[in-house]
Amino acid sequence: METFNVVIADDHPIVLLGVRELVERDRRFSVVGEVVCSDGLIKLLRSQPVDLLITDFNMPGDSPYGDGLKLVEYVTRHFPAVRVLVLTMISNPLILTRLQELGVLAVIQKSQLHVEIEVALKAIAKGKRISGHRTTPTSVLDDGADLDERFSRLSPKEHEILRLFVQGQGVNEIARGLNRSAKTISTQKISAMRKLDVSSDQELLTYCIERNLFN
């Protein structure tokens, strides 16, 4: 019987415990490591053979490997043999599409954790494709030079807020992480959107993802 070495990455102990319990119900999967930050994850992936990574989309700490899309891209680029499942509360189709493009096997909604992990593990064990919804974002790109000029107008604070937003954080979460008020973060985000000439969160995400601005 083929067995799979599994690593779980999440900064919440309860999630780590719950995912481990779900994984180890199937004898074909063995949890060989648990990590709570991006640095720990990359160090572990470099130190031993890993077949499957189950990782939270948002990871804490100021790591050169980042989190969100940046971390997933680093993992899929430098550890192509590792299959990746992403845990998240995010439902934005632009981020989900980008994760699919990066080669993630499946995006598992934390609200459906028990059901979706079981389905995903069974598919992996049988070598089958994991079924899921696929979405196609709408592009807002026109003239590349003009877009670059718009991006250069952003202040350092606006740049940082957009980076965190693209990683999947909401205004309140960004405010807590940067120790600012939600009103201040919202104002700076709106200012950045005006400078980029986008009118919605969807257009903003498309702009940043398609231009690969924060990877």
Side-chain angles (χ1 to χ4, degrees):
M1 180 178 65
E2 183 181 7
T3 59
F4 301 84
N5 290 336
V6 182
V7 166
I8 306 170
D10 199 295
D11 64 313
H12 295 90
I14 294 178
V15 175
L16 281 174
L17 180 64
V19 174
R20 172 187 274 274
E21 180 182 347
L22 291 170
V23 170
E24 292 188 337
R25 288 179 183 177
D26 192 325
R27 294 182 180 179
R28 293 169 292 188
F29 296 88
S30 174
V31 177
V32 298
E34 297 176 349
V35 294
V36 296
C37 63
S38 301
D39 287 345
L41 172 59
I42 300 306
K43 182 178 180 180
L44 192 152
L45 291 177
R46 288 173 174 165
S47 66
Q48 64 179 328
V50 176
D51 301 303
L52 175 65
L53 167 63
I54 303 175
T55 180
D56 192 5
F57 185 76
N58 294 117
M59 297 289 283
D62 185 14
S63 166
Y65 307 111
D67 71 337
L69 293 172
K70 182 177 180 180
L71 176 62
V72 172
E73 182 172 7
Y74 186 92
V75 170
T76 56
R77 179 183 300 172
H78 291 85
F79 306 95
V82 177
R83 284 162 275 198
V84 181
L85 299 178
V86 173
L87 309 178
T88 188
M89 296 292 290
I90 296 169
S91 59
N92 189 287
L94 295 167
I95 292 180
L96 300 183
T97 297
R98 181 58 182 151
L99 288 171
Q100 293 165 359
E101 292 172 349
L102 290 173
V104 168
L105 290 183
V107 179
I108 295 174
Q109 293 295 321
K110 287 189 173 181
S111 60
Q112 301 293 324
L113 187 64
H114 288 68
V115 174
E116 293 192 3
I117 277 193
E118 183 177 0
V119 170
L121 293 179
K122 286 182 178 179
I124 291 169
K126 295 179 180 180
K128 296 183 178 180
R129 176 184 292 273
I130 301 173
S131 60
H133 300 291
R134 294 188 173 272
T135 55
T136 303
T138 302
S139 175
V140 297
L141 301 182
D142 40 41
D143 180 71
D146 180 53
L147 290 173
D148 289 338
E149 195 277 331
R150 289 187 229 164
F151 190 69
S152 68
R153 302 174 192 166
L154 298 180
S155 70
K157 290 183 178 180
E158 291 167 348
H159 186 280
E160 177 68 3
I161 289 169
L162 290 193
R163 183 184 69 81
L164 295 171
F165 177 72
V166 170
Q167 290 175 355
Q169 296 187 32
V171 168
N172 290 331
E173 188 175 1
I174 295 172
R176 288 193 297 270
L178 297 180
N179 196 28
R180 302 179 204 164
S181 71
K183 182 177 180 180
T184 296
I185 298 300
S186 178
T187 298
Q188 291 172 333
K189 176 170 168 279
I190 291 171
S191 174
M193 292 174 68
R194 287 174 178 165
K195 290 178 182 179
L196 296 176
D197 195 24
V198 296
S199 58
S200 68
D201 285 355
Q202 181 170 334
E203 287 187 354
L204 179 61
L205 280 169
T206 301
Y207 176 99
C208 294
I209 291 172
E210 292 193 6
R211 297 293 290 175
N212 202 29
L213 293 178
F214 298 104
N215 288 323

